[in-house]
Structure formats: structure tokens, C-alpha cells
Amino acid sequence: MMRNSEQCPHGAIAKRRKVPTISLCNLPTDILSMILSLLPINDAVRTSLLSKKLKHAWCSHSNLTFDKGTMRKTYFRPSTGYYGLLKDKEFITKVDAVLHQHSGMGVEHMEIKFGLHSKHADHIDRWVNFAIASRTKEFVINLSGRPKSTYFRELSCGNKRITREEPYNLSSQLFSPSNGSYLQCLELRTVSLQLPSDFKGFLNLKSLSLVDVRITDEDVQSMLSKCNLLEFLEIAYCRMVTRIRMLHSLDRLKHLVVDICPKLQEIELNCSPTTLKYAGPVIPSISVSTSRLTNISIVFLTYQSSLSYIATGFPSTSPRLETLTLLCYEHEKTIVPERPFKFTYLRNLRLELVISDYEIRKTDVLDYAYLLKIAPFMETLELSMWMIGWHRPYCKEDGELRIGLPHKHAHLKSVRISGFFGQKDQVELALHSLRSSIALEKMEITPKLEISNNLALHDCCYEKEHYVGGHRIATEFVCKADNRNVVNVVSPVRQP
């Protein structure tokens, strides 16, 4: 067989066309730089070893992300299967080496994500100055060295973190009048921030995130008053903040996130966001316009009646609310108003309940059938429960199941109930929802705990005692009443 030729039908031999090969080295410099910018910075730097033309091609890399992954050690330990532990001195050396060779032009995103402190201030200041000189549009300084979820677990339990090192004090150069006009996104984590007296604001800033930042109420207000184009604002785990107050109009703010600021008492903003997310140990005074609010997510870490809060609290002031997620700790029976506010726009509701009745049972899960009454156009309902205390699956000794008049709900299509341990009032709620929802297409019931933020105990604490019983009761009573074949009881037992 010939390699470069092939036999034609009439016996003539024709040469096969040679398909030209495309090499990175043959591409124009601007296209080459764009391709390399799609790679992590460490991989982009390694391409400099391939040819002379590629030696400096990465030097206009637009995405400079420096973390344990991109700055990891180059050797691999077969015994452990992991790369060697990266120490702070090695991290600093690697970042300095990259920035020293970088052209300082075309930087869209720069991120520093590593556990550093005030003793590293000289190095961090140098990186901040690089971001300023390169006119970086998105700048992230994350000096925590740990996942964000650990803050939630720490502060939700009321623990006070012992800070071994003083946090880095962010360079005032970033806030000077001539240096902030190019920033569009700024994310700060585990730093100390004090605005200079001549701070004029970030004229083009659209996204601001302050997580575990040491900052005063006055500086928060000053920053917000001079960032008129903000669309996203996050203030989370800031231990000094007691009030988030801004009377100056923030017309463009769409998304507001406030997570566990332990001393926070008041949120007063002149804005009309479309989404609001809040988590905290207390219920602050929330004063924002609700005219455009369509999505609310709230986590209360103290006892609060969810039904009462939905019917008479902040959600009831949001006439166009479409999606509501609420987590509450419950320990008493709820008294609901006779003529409640009707959520005519509400389509999706997720309710997470931590029900703690250690001695005498006061809560009644069947009360949550009230949700069908106040949300007549709801399409999806998720009810996640964690029953803390003494439990027993329903049996005849508990009395007859309560069967009230079903409330005909014409729009509910999907129901999911988790944390179903098979208690009497849980069975009654499931049956009420099944019989009332005439358009129901799917109902899933599972005994597994699905409380967010890792607040519930691990599955192993419940599997033997409650999971099997909950599955049995759901199958025996709810599936038996299902005439439309819409109920699916998820088995908690792992298949071998």
C-alpha cells in the first residue's frame, strides 16, 4: 500500500493531498495570547518551554489566578498521591516570578487566594500595586486560606474564632481617586479595610463582596455612597458591622447578600433589589424597597415560626415574590392569621424546618398545609425537616389520621418532602398535599435529611433508627392513597 498515493478506479495513480498542519507557532500573536489566556496561569507559563515564539506569548495573560492549584509544587509524591504542601514563602516567590515577567497589560481578572496575614504586607502591597498599574477589572483578594462554608458553621454555632495573626490592612493606594476608576468587580476576604479621607469611590464598580472584613459601619456607608453603579453587594461574616445603612439611592442594585454578621441589627438601603439573601442569628430591621423583589432566601439561626414570618413578616411585604427559601428553628405551635396575605406571584417555595421538641411535642407538621392556602399559584413545594428529639413512626395507638377537607390547589405540580421519619403529622401533611393538588405530577418522599449549610447531623446518626421506619410508613400509607401513580418514596438503604 502506498502512503502518499492511492489507486484510482481506472488504474491511474493519484497523489493524496497533503493536509497542512496548524502549529501554535504559526498563529498571529494576538490570537495566540487569547488562546493561552484560556489556560490556568501555571499551564500558560509552561508553554514558554515549547519554542522561542511561545517564550513570551503568555506574558499578556488576562486571567491571573494565584492559588494552591495554580502555584502548586511541580513534583508529585507517589506515596501520598498528592503534590507537596505549598508554604507561604514558596507561594510568594512563585507569584512574584510570574508578575515580574508579565507585561502588565490586558489583565481582566486577578485573584490572590492563599492564607496570608499582616506580616506579608510588603508582598501583598506589591501585588495590589500591580493590579492598579495593569488596570485590572476584576480583583479578588482572599487571604483566608479556608473554604467559605467554614465561616457559616463557625458563626452559626456562636463560636469566636481565635485569630493567630493580624489580618492584612488593605493598601490605601487601591482607594486613591486616580486608581479605582477601572475596577468593575472587587472581592475582599479576611482583610482589614480603612478608607482614606480622600476616597472618591469606584465609578465603574458593579460587584462588591466583603467577607470576613474588618470594617466599620461608617466605612461601609461611605463605600456604598460612592459606588453608584453597584449591581451586586455581599457583606458576610463581618464581625464589626452593626448597621448597613445607605440613604443615597442605589438604583442599579439587583442582588443583596448578607450572611451572619453577628452584631448586625439593621439593614436600611435605598434600593429595589430583585434578589435578597440573608442569614443570621437575629431578625434585623430590613428596610429596602420590595417593588422588584422576586427571590428571597432567609436563614434564621434562632427560634422563629416560619408560617408566622411568611404570613406577617418581610416576605408578606413583597407583592411580586416568585421564589422563597426559608430555614427556621421551630419549637412551638404556630398561630396564623385568619385572613392572610395571598402570594399570587409565588411559584417556588422551599421551607427548611429544624423542629426541636425534646420533651413535650408542641409543633404540628400538618399546620404547614396552610402554605397551599396562601400561595394559590405555587408550582413547586420543597419541605425539608429535621426532627430533633424523640420519634416514633405512626402506628394505630397514635389514633386515627386526621383527614380534613382538601384545599383544591390547581397549580401545584411538584412536591418533595425530606426528613420524613413517618410521624403521624408528617403522614397527615403528605396525604393532605396529595389529595389537594389536582394538577400534581410528582411527589417525592425521602427520610434522608436535606437541611442546607450542613446544619443537620450526618446520615449515619439516623439511618437505622428512623430512615427505615420513615420509608416503611410512607410506602404503607401515602403510596396506598396514590391513585394517580405520582408518589415516589426514595429508599434510604444503600444497595450493596
Side-chain angles (χ1 to χ4, degrees), residues 62-73:
S62 62
N63 184 1
L64 300 178
T65 299
F66 303 110
D67 56 23
K68 293 179 180 179
T70 60
M71 297 290 103
R72 65 180 180 265
K73 289 179 178 290

Side-chain angles (χ1 to χ4, degrees), residues 414-476:
S414 175
V415 174
R416 181 173 178 83
I417 302 175
S418 61
F420 187 93
F421 290 172
Q423 297 194 62
K424 182 174 182 286
D425 51 354
Q426 288 184 315
V427 177
E428 292 165 340
L429 177 63
L431 290 174
H432 179 86
S433 301
L434 178 64
R435 291 164 177 161
S436 298
S437 307
I438 59 179
L440 193 64
E441 298 175 357
K442 178 177 64 174
M443 173 183 280
E444 283 192 348
I445 300 176
T446 176
K448 291 180 67 66
L449 299 178
E450 296 179 353
I451 302 296
S452 60
N453 298 297
N454 296 316
L455 290 177
L457 296 178
H458 295 295
D459 290 343
C460 60
C461 301
Y462 286 92
E463 189 164 351
K464 285 185 177 181
E465 188 174 356
H466 303 302
Y467 279 11
V468 175
H471 181 270
R472 176 179 58 81
I473 294 298
T475 302
E476 182 178 347

Side-chain angles (χ1 to χ4, degrees), residues 240-488:
M240 293 176 58
V241 173
T242 64
R243 174 185 296 179
I244 302 173
R245 190 168 185 264
M246 180 62 247
L247 301 181
H248 178 77
S249 178
L250 293 172
D251 294 333
R252 302 198 180 193
L253 190 66
K254 298 178 182 178
H255 310 285
L256 176 61
V257 179
V258 180
D259 269 348
I260 312 188
C261 297
K263 298 181 180 180
L264 182 65
Q265 297 293 327
E266 181 183 3
I267 300 174
E268 184 179 1
L269 297 173
N270 186 3
C271 62
S272 300
T274 57
T275 65
L276 169 65
K277 179 182 177 183
Y278 172 81
V282 296
I283 305 174
S285 171
I286 301 178
S287 177
V288 298
S289 173
T290 60
S291 60
R292 297 189 304 175
L293 200 56
T294 59
N295 192 324
I296 296 177
S297 177
I298 296 179
V299 174
F300 288 136
L301 299 173
T302 51
Y303 289 113
Q304 167 65 43
S305 167
S306 58
L307 288 179
S308 177
Y309 185 73
I310 291 174
T312 63
F314 182 73
S316 66
T317 67
S318 308
R320 302 187 67 86
L321 186 62
E322 297 177 7
T323 300
L324 174 62
T325 302
L326 179 63
L327 186 152
C328 288
Y329 284 72
E330 306 261 5
H331 71 300
E332 293 183 347
K333 185 174 177 59
T334 299
I335 299 176
V336 295
E338 294 182 1
R339 296 183 179 180
F341 173 81
K342 292 292 184 72
F343 293 87
T344 56
Y345 282 83
L346 189 63
R347 299 295 183 268
N348 310 293
L349 173 60
R350 176 177 174 83
L351 191 59
E352 301 185 32
L353 304 173
V354 181
I355 301 175
S356 54
D357 292 321
Y358 289 100
E359 297 178 358
I360 301 175
R361 181 73 183 275
K362 297 179 181 179
T363 57
D364 188 349
V365 174
L366 185 57
D367 287 343
Y368 298 101
Y370 182 74
L371 298 170
L372 302 181
K373 182 178 181 180
I374 64 176
F377 297 97
M378 179 170 55
E379 297 178 358
T380 63
L381 172 62
E382 295 182 59
L383 185 60
S384 300
M385 292 174 280
W386 177 23
M387 315 286 282
I388 302 176
W390 183 79
H391 310 289
R392 185 180 71 176
Y394 171 67
C395 59
K396 292 183 179 180
E397 286 75 11
D398 295 330
E400 294 292 328
L401 291 171
R402 293 171 292 175
I403 302 176
L405 293 175
H407 174 80
K408 297 299 181 182
H409 198 293
H411 298 273
L412 190 60
K413 298 178 181 178
S414 175
V415 174
R416 181 173 178 83
I417 302 175
S418 61
F420 187 93
F421 290 172
Q423 297 194 62
K424 182 174 182 286
D425 51 354
Q426 288 184 315
V427 177
E428 292 165 340
L429 177 63
L431 290 174
H432 179 86
S433 301
L434 178 64
R435 291 164 177 161
S436 298
S437 307
I438 59 179
L440 193 64
E441 298 175 357
K442 178 177 64 174
M443 173 183 280
E444 283 192 348
I445 300 176
T446 176
K448 291 180 67 66
L449 299 178
E450 296 179 353
I451 302 296
S452 60
N453 298 297
N454 296 316
L455 290 177
L457 296 178
H458 295 295
D459 290 343
C460 60
C461 301
Y462 286 92
E463 189 164 351
K464 285 185 177 181
E465 188 174 356
H466 303 302
Y467 279 11
V468 175
H471 181 270
R472 176 179 58 81
I473 294 298
T475 302
E476 182 178 347
F477 290 93
V478 184
C479 288
K480 186 177 180 180
D482 177 22
N483 299 320
R484 292 170 287 173
N485 196 28
V486 295
V487 177
N488 176 33

Side-chain angles (χ1 to χ4, degrees), residues 64-307:
L64 300 178
T65 299
F66 303 110
D67 56 23
K68 293 179 180 179
T70 60
M71 297 290 103
R72 65 180 180 265
K73 289 179 178 290
T74 56
Y75 63 85
F76 184 77
R77 293 180 178 177
S79 59
T80 60
Y82 295 98
Y83 290 89
L85 181 64
L86 187 65
K87 298 181 179 179
D88 52 2
K89 290 184 179 179
E90 295 170 309
F91 178 82
I92 291 170
T93 300
K94 288 176 176 289
V95 174
D96 284 343
V98 172
L99 296 184
H100 179 72
Q101 298 178 70
H102 197 278
S103 65
M105 299 179 63
V107 179
E108 295 285 333
H109 178 91
M110 181 172 172
E111 180 173 354
I112 302 164
K113 186 179 179 182
F114 198 81
L116 300 172
H117 310 284
S118 59
K119 66 180 180 181
H120 307 107
D122 291 343
H123 305 286
I124 304 172
D125 284 344
R126 188 163 59 250
W127 303 339
V128 171
N129 290 335
F130 177 90
I132 294 172
S134 63
R135 300 188 176 183
T136 302
K137 295 179 180 179
E138 299 177 358
F139 192 26
V140 179
I141 303 179
N142 179 356
L143 306 183
S144 66
R146 59 179 181 146
K148 189 177 179 180
S149 58
T150 60
Y151 291 102
F152 190 98
R153 290 195 297 270
E154 181 181 281
L155 291 177
S156 64
C157 299
N159 297 333
K160 295 183 178 180
R161 177 168 57 92
I162 299 176
T163 306
R164 296 182 179 180
E165 301 284 351
E166 187 72 13
Y168 164 73
N169 188 21
L170 193 60
S171 172
S172 60
Q173 292 295 320
L174 184 64
F175 304 101
S176 64
S178 59
N179 292 335
S181 60
Y182 47 83
L183 268 179
Q184 297 180 13
C185 174
L186 179 62
E187 297 183 23
L188 304 175
R189 188 185 300 187
T190 315
V191 301
S192 179
L193 189 158
Q194 185 174 1
L195 293 179
S197 57
D198 62 346
F199 177 64
K200 301 299 182 183
F202 298 117
L203 300 180
N204 294 301
L205 193 68
K206 296 181 179 180
S207 177
L208 174 64
S209 177
L210 306 176
V211 178
D212 189 29
V213 174
R214 184 182 293 181
I215 186 173
T216 64
D217 294 348
E218 293 74 20
D219 280 342
V220 170
Q221 182 173 348
S222 177
M223 181 172 284
L224 295 182
S225 67
K226 297 169 183 177
C227 299
N228 297 326
L229 299 185
L230 270 186
E231 297 177 1
F232 175 89
L233 172 63
E234 178 184 26
I235 300 179
Y237 318 119
C238 295
R239 292 166 171 82
M240 293 176 58
V241 173
T242 64
R243 174 185 296 179
I244 302 173
R245 190 168 185 264
M246 180 62 247
L247 301 181
H248 178 77
S249 178
L250 293 172
D251 294 333
R252 302 198 180 193
L253 190 66
K254 298 178 182 178
H255 310 285
L256 176 61
V257 179
V258 180
D259 269 348
I260 312 188
C261 297
K263 298 181 180 180
L264 182 65
Q265 297 293 327
E266 181 183 3
I267 300 174
E268 184 179 1
L269 297 173
N270 186 3
C271 62
S272 300
T274 57
T275 65
L276 169 65
K277 179 182 177 183
Y278 172 81
V282 296
I283 305 174
S285 171
I286 301 178
S287 177
V288 298
S289 173
T290 60
S291 60
R292 297 189 304 175
L293 200 56
T294 59
N295 192 324
I296 296 177
S297 177
I298 296 179
V299 174
F300 288 136
L301 299 173
T302 51
Y303 289 113
Q304 167 65 43
S305 167
S306 58
L307 288 179

